[in-house]
mmCIF file with all atom_site columns, all heavy atoms in Angstrom:
data_model
loop_
_atom_site.group_PDB
_atom_site.id
_atom_site.type_symbol
_atom_site.label_atom_id
_atom_site.label_alt_id
_atom_site.label_comp_id
_atom_site.label_asym_id
_atom_site.label_entity_id
_atom_site.label_seq_id
_atom_site.pdbx_PDB_ins_code
_atom_site.Cartn_x
_atom_site.Cartn_y
_atom_site.Cartn_z
_atom_site.occupancy
_atom_site.B_iso_or_equiv
_atom_site.pdbx_formal_charge
_atom_site.auth_seq_id
_atom_site.auth_comp_id
_atom_site.auth_asym_id
_atom_site.auth_atom_id
_atom_site.pdbx_PDB_model_num
ATOM 1   N N   . GLN A 1 15  ? 20.613  -41.625 67.987  1.00 0.00 ? 15  GLN A N   1
ATOM 2   C CA  . GLN A 1 15  ? 21.710  -42.458 68.453  1.00 0.00 ? 15  GLN A CA  1
ATOM 3   C C   . GLN A 1 15  ? 22.550  -42.999 67.289  1.00 0.00 ? 15  GLN A C   1
ATOM 4   O O   . GLN A 1 15  ? 23.145  -44.072 67.345  1.00 0.00 ? 15  GLN A O   1
ATOM 5   C CB  . GLN A 1 15  ? 21.181  -43.632 69.306  1.00 0.00 ? 15  GLN A CB  1
ATOM 6   C CG  . GLN A 1 15  ? 20.436  -43.191 70.539  1.00 0.00 ? 15  GLN A CG  1
ATOM 7   C CD  . GLN A 1 15  ? 19.893  -44.353 71.336  1.00 0.00 ? 15  GLN A CD  1
ATOM 8   O OE1 . GLN A 1 15  ? 19.916  -45.511 70.908  1.00 0.00 ? 15  GLN A OE1 1
ATOM 9   N NE2 . GLN A 1 15  ? 19.383  -44.047 72.539  1.00 0.00 ? 15  GLN A NE2 1
ATOM 10  N N   . GLY A 1 26  ? 24.262  -35.200 52.711  1.00 0.00 ? 26  GLY A N   1
ATOM 11  C CA  . GLY A 1 26  ? 23.186  -34.255 52.392  1.00 0.00 ? 26  GLY A CA  1
ATOM 12  C C   . GLY A 1 26  ? 23.709  -32.964 51.815  1.00 0.00 ? 26  GLY A C   1
ATOM 13  O O   . GLY A 1 26  ? 23.125  -32.387 50.885  1.00 0.00 ? 26  GLY A O   1
ATOM 14  N N   . ASP A 1 31  ? 24.682  -29.233 47.239  1.00 0.00 ? 31  ASP A N   1
ATOM 15  C CA  . ASP A 1 31  ? 25.636  -28.517 46.406  1.00 0.00 ? 31  ASP A CA  1
ATOM 16  C C   . ASP A 1 31  ? 25.435  -28.834 44.931  1.00 0.00 ? 31  ASP A C   1
ATOM 17  O O   . ASP A 1 31  ? 25.672  -27.989 44.061  1.00 0.00 ? 31  ASP A O   1
ATOM 18  C CB  . ASP A 1 31  ? 27.061  -28.877 46.835  1.00 0.00 ? 31  ASP A CB  1
ATOM 19  C CG  . ASP A 1 31  ? 28.098  -28.036 46.108  1.00 0.00 ? 31  ASP A CG  1
ATOM 20  O OD1 . ASP A 1 31  ? 28.148  -26.812 46.364  1.00 0.00 ? 31  ASP A OD1 1
ATOM 21  O OD2 . ASP A 1 31  ? 28.836  -28.597 45.249  1.00 0.00 ? 31  ASP A OD2 1
ATOM 22  N N   . GLN A 1 35  ? 20.651  -24.230 42.913  1.00 0.00 ? 35  GLN A N   1
ATOM 23  C CA  . GLN A 1 35  ? 21.237  -23.365 41.877  1.00 0.00 ? 35  GLN A CA  1
ATOM 24  C C   . GLN A 1 35  ? 21.894  -24.238 40.810  1.00 0.00 ? 35  GLN A C   1
ATOM 25  O O   . GLN A 1 35  ? 23.031  -24.023 40.398  1.00 0.00 ? 35  GLN A O   1
ATOM 26  C CB  . GLN A 1 35  ? 22.253  -22.383 42.478  1.00 0.00 ? 35  GLN A CB  1
ATOM 27  C CG  . GLN A 1 35  ? 21.707  -21.451 43.531  1.00 0.00 ? 35  GLN A CG  1
ATOM 28  C CD  . GLN A 1 35  ? 20.727  -20.435 42.954  1.00 0.00 ? 35  GLN A CD  1
ATOM 29  O OE1 . GLN A 1 35  ? 20.595  -20.307 41.739  1.00 0.00 ? 35  GLN A OE1 1
ATOM 30  N NE2 . GLN A 1 35  ? 20.035  -19.724 43.837  1.00 0.00 ? 35  GLN A NE2 1
ATOM 31  N N   . THR A 1 63  ? 28.169  -42.465 26.465  1.00 0.00 ? 63  THR A N   1
ATOM 32  C CA  . THR A 1 63  ? 29.226  -43.486 26.498  1.00 0.00 ? 63  THR A CA  1
ATOM 33  C C   . THR A 1 63  ? 30.233  -43.143 27.596  1.00 0.00 ? 63  THR A C   1
ATOM 34  O O   . THR A 1 63  ? 30.357  -41.998 28.015  1.00 0.00 ? 63  THR A O   1
ATOM 35  C CB  . THR A 1 63  ? 29.946  -43.566 25.145  1.00 0.00 ? 63  THR A CB  1
ATOM 36  O OG1 . THR A 1 63  ? 30.567  -42.301 24.871  1.00 0.00 ? 63  THR A OG1 1
ATOM 37  C CG2 . THR A 1 63  ? 28.986  -43.928 24.021  1.00 0.00 ? 63  THR A CG2 1
ATOM 38  N N   . GLN A 1 73  ? 18.408  -38.318 30.366  1.00 0.00 ? 73  GLN A N   1
ATOM 39  C CA  . GLN A 1 73  ? 17.938  -37.165 31.138  1.00 0.00 ? 73  GLN A CA  1
ATOM 40  C C   . GLN A 1 73  ? 18.456  -37.158 32.575  1.00 0.00 ? 73  GLN A C   1
ATOM 41  O O   . GLN A 1 73  ? 18.164  -36.211 33.321  1.00 0.00 ? 73  GLN A O   1
ATOM 42  C CB  . GLN A 1 73  ? 16.393  -37.076 31.148  1.00 0.00 ? 73  GLN A CB  1
ATOM 43  C CG  . GLN A 1 73  ? 15.719  -37.303 29.817  1.00 0.00 ? 73  GLN A CG  1
ATOM 44  C CD  . GLN A 1 73  ? 16.146  -36.319 28.739  1.00 0.00 ? 73  GLN A CD  1
ATOM 45  O OE1 . GLN A 1 73  ? 16.521  -35.203 29.041  1.00 0.00 ? 73  GLN A OE1 1
ATOM 46  N NE2 . GLN A 1 73  ? 16.104  -36.769 27.487  1.00 0.00 ? 73  GLN A NE2 1
ATOM 47  N N   . ARG A 1 90  ? 10.032  -33.989 38.014  1.00 0.00 ? 90  ARG A N   1
ATOM 48  C CA  . ARG A 1 90  ? 9.327   -32.991 37.197  1.00 0.00 ? 90  ARG A CA  1
ATOM 49  C C   . ARG A 1 90  ? 9.311   -31.637 37.901  1.00 0.00 ? 90  ARG A C   1
ATOM 50  O O   . ARG A 1 90  ? 8.917   -31.523 39.059  1.00 0.00 ? 90  ARG A O   1
ATOM 51  C CB  . ARG A 1 90  ? 7.900   -33.444 36.928  1.00 0.00 ? 90  ARG A CB  1
ATOM 52  C CG  . ARG A 1 90  ? 7.128   -32.488 36.023  1.00 0.00 ? 90  ARG A CG  1
ATOM 53  C CD  . ARG A 1 90  ? 5.719   -32.991 35.780  1.00 0.00 ? 90  ARG A CD  1
ATOM 54  N NE  . ARG A 1 90  ? 4.987   -32.110 34.886  1.00 0.00 ? 90  ARG A NE  1
ATOM 55  C CZ  . ARG A 1 90  ? 3.711   -32.248 34.567  1.00 0.00 ? 90  ARG A CZ  1
ATOM 56  N NH1 . ARG A 1 90  ? 3.011   -33.261 35.109  1.00 0.00 ? 90  ARG A NH1 1
ATOM 57  N NH2 . ARG A 1 90  ? 3.127   -31.407 33.741  1.00 0.00 ? 90  ARG A NH2 1
ATOM 58  N N   . SER A 1 114 ? 10.189  -21.080 28.229  1.00 0.00 ? 114 SER A N   1
ATOM 59  C CA  . SER A 1 114 ? 9.738   -19.926 27.454  1.00 0.00 ? 114 SER A CA  1
ATOM 60  C C   . SER A 1 114 ? 9.436   -18.772 28.387  1.00 0.00 ? 114 SER A C   1
ATOM 61  O O   . SER A 1 114 ? 9.503   -18.883 29.603  1.00 0.00 ? 114 SER A O   1
ATOM 62  C CB  . SER A 1 114 ? 8.491   -20.294 26.639  1.00 0.00 ? 114 SER A CB  1
ATOM 63  O OG  . SER A 1 114 ? 7.414   -20.525 27.506  1.00 0.00 ? 114 SER A OG  1
ATOM 64  N N   . PRO A 1 156 ? 28.769  -11.199 11.011  1.00 0.00 ? 156 PRO A N   1
ATOM 65  C CA  . PRO A 1 156 ? 27.686  -10.286 10.590  1.00 0.00 ? 156 PRO A CA  1
ATOM 66  C C   . PRO A 1 156 ? 26.810  -10.947 9.536   1.00 0.00 ? 156 PRO A C   1
ATOM 67  O O   . PRO A 1 156 ? 27.137  -12.000 8.989   1.00 0.00 ? 156 PRO A O   1
ATOM 68  C CB  . PRO A 1 156 ? 28.461  -9.127  9.971   1.00 0.00 ? 156 PRO A CB  1
ATOM 69  C CG  . PRO A 1 156 ? 29.663  -9.775  9.377   1.00 0.00 ? 156 PRO A CG  1
ATOM 70  C CD  . PRO A 1 156 ? 30.016  -10.946 10.278  1.00 0.00 ? 156 PRO A CD  1
ATOM 71  N N   . ASN A 1 244 ? -22.080 6.681   -13.300 1.00 0.00 ? 244 ASN A N   1
ATOM 72  C CA  . ASN A 1 244 ? -21.586 8.004   -13.658 1.00 0.00 ? 244 ASN A CA  1
ATOM 73  C C   . ASN A 1 244 ? -20.135 8.178   -13.187 1.00 0.00 ? 244 ASN A C   1
ATOM 74  O O   . ASN A 1 244 ? -19.855 8.965   -12.294 1.00 0.00 ? 244 ASN A O   1
ATOM 75  C CB  . ASN A 1 244 ? -22.474 9.081   -13.017 1.00 0.00 ? 244 ASN A CB  1
ATOM 76  C CG  . ASN A 1 244 ? -22.027 10.484  -13.409 1.00 0.00 ? 244 ASN A CG  1
ATOM 77  O OD1 . ASN A 1 244 ? -21.409 10.672  -14.449 1.00 0.00 ? 244 ASN A OD1 1
ATOM 78  N ND2 . ASN A 1 244 ? -22.338 11.457  -12.579 1.00 0.00 ? 244 ASN A ND2 1
ATOM 79  N N   . GLY A 1 250 ? -10.388 20.189  -8.700  1.00 0.00 ? 250 GLY A N   1
ATOM 80  C CA  . GLY A 1 250 ? -10.791 21.506  -8.231  1.00 0.00 ? 250 GLY A CA  1
ATOM 81  C C   . GLY A 1 250 ? -10.933 21.576  -6.729  1.00 0.00 ? 250 GLY A C   1
ATOM 82  O O   . GLY A 1 250 ? -10.416 20.743  -6.005  1.00 0.00 ? 250 GLY A O   1
ATOM 83  N N   . SER A 1 263 ? -21.681 8.661   -18.185 1.00 0.00 ? 263 SER A N   1
ATOM 84  C CA  . SER A 1 263 ? -22.356 7.401   -18.462 1.00 0.00 ? 263 SER A CA  1
ATOM 85  C C   . SER A 1 263 ? -23.751 7.497   -17.860 1.00 0.00 ? 263 SER A C   1
ATOM 86  O O   . SER A 1 263 ? -24.105 6.821   -16.916 1.00 0.00 ? 263 SER A O   1
ATOM 87  C CB  . SER A 1 263 ? -21.584 6.231   -17.860 1.00 0.00 ? 263 SER A CB  1
ATOM 88  O OG  . SER A 1 263 ? -22.264 5.020   -18.099 1.00 0.00 ? 263 SER A OG  1
ATOM 89  N N   . GLY A 1 269 ? -22.322 21.156  -10.827 1.00 0.00 ? 269 GLY A N   1
ATOM 90  C CA  . GLY A 1 269 ? -21.892 22.484  -10.434 1.00 0.00 ? 269 GLY A CA  1
ATOM 91  C C   . GLY A 1 269 ? -20.539 22.806  -11.014 1.00 0.00 ? 269 GLY A C   1
ATOM 92  O O   . GLY A 1 269 ? -19.791 21.943  -11.435 1.00 0.00 ? 269 GLY A O   1
ATOM 93  N N   . MET A 1 346 ? -21.116 35.306  -37.738 1.00 0.00 ? 346 MET A N   1
ATOM 94  C CA  . MET A 1 346 ? -22.068 34.375  -37.170 1.00 0.00 ? 346 MET A CA  1
ATOM 95  C C   . MET A 1 346 ? -22.443 33.343  -38.212 1.00 0.00 ? 346 MET A C   1
ATOM 96  O O   . MET A 1 346 ? -22.572 33.657  -39.396 1.00 0.00 ? 346 MET A O   1
ATOM 97  C CB  . MET A 1 346 ? -23.322 35.130  -36.685 1.00 0.00 ? 346 MET A CB  1
ATOM 98  C CG  . MET A 1 346 ? -24.383 34.233  -36.063 1.00 0.00 ? 346 MET A CG  1
ATOM 99  S SD  . MET A 1 346 ? -25.756 35.197  -35.356 1.00 0.00 ? 346 MET A SD  1
ATOM 100 C CE  . MET A 1 346 ? -26.403 35.955  -36.868 1.00 0.00 ? 346 MET A CE  1
ATOM 101 N N   . LEU A 1 369 ? 1.630   35.455  -54.499 1.00 0.00 ? 369 LEU A N   1
ATOM 102 C CA  . LEU A 1 369 ? 0.370   34.763  -54.260 1.00 0.00 ? 369 LEU A CA  1
ATOM 103 C C   . LEU A 1 369 ? 0.572   33.258  -54.387 1.00 0.00 ? 369 LEU A C   1
ATOM 104 O O   . LEU A 1 369 ? 1.410   32.787  -55.153 1.00 0.00 ? 369 LEU A O   1
ATOM 105 C CB  . LEU A 1 369 ? -0.687  35.219  -55.266 1.00 0.00 ? 369 LEU A CB  1
ATOM 106 C CG  . LEU A 1 369 ? -1.175  36.661  -55.150 1.00 0.00 ? 369 LEU A CG  1
ATOM 107 C CD1 . LEU A 1 369 ? -2.135  36.989  -56.296 1.00 0.00 ? 369 LEU A CD1 1
ATOM 108 C CD2 . LEU A 1 369 ? -1.866  36.880  -53.804 1.00 0.00 ? 369 LEU A CD2 1
ATOM 109 N N   . ALA A 1 399 ? -5.611  29.884  -62.841 1.00 0.00 ? 399 ALA A N   1
ATOM 110 C CA  . ALA A 1 399 ? -4.984  31.207  -62.838 1.00 0.00 ? 399 ALA A CA  1
ATOM 111 C C   . ALA A 1 399 ? -5.747  32.116  -61.889 1.00 0.00 ? 399 ALA A C   1
ATOM 112 O O   . ALA A 1 399 ? -6.890  31.842  -61.497 1.00 0.00 ? 399 ALA A O   1
ATOM 113 C CB  . ALA A 1 399 ? -4.994  31.803  -64.242 1.00 0.00 ? 399 ALA A CB  1
#
Side-chain angles (χ1 to χ4, degrees):
Q15 299 178 351
D31 187 68
Q35 301 292 350
T63 62
Q73 316 301 332
R90 183 180 182 185
S114 68
N244 182 25
S263 178
M346 180 174 64
L369 292 175

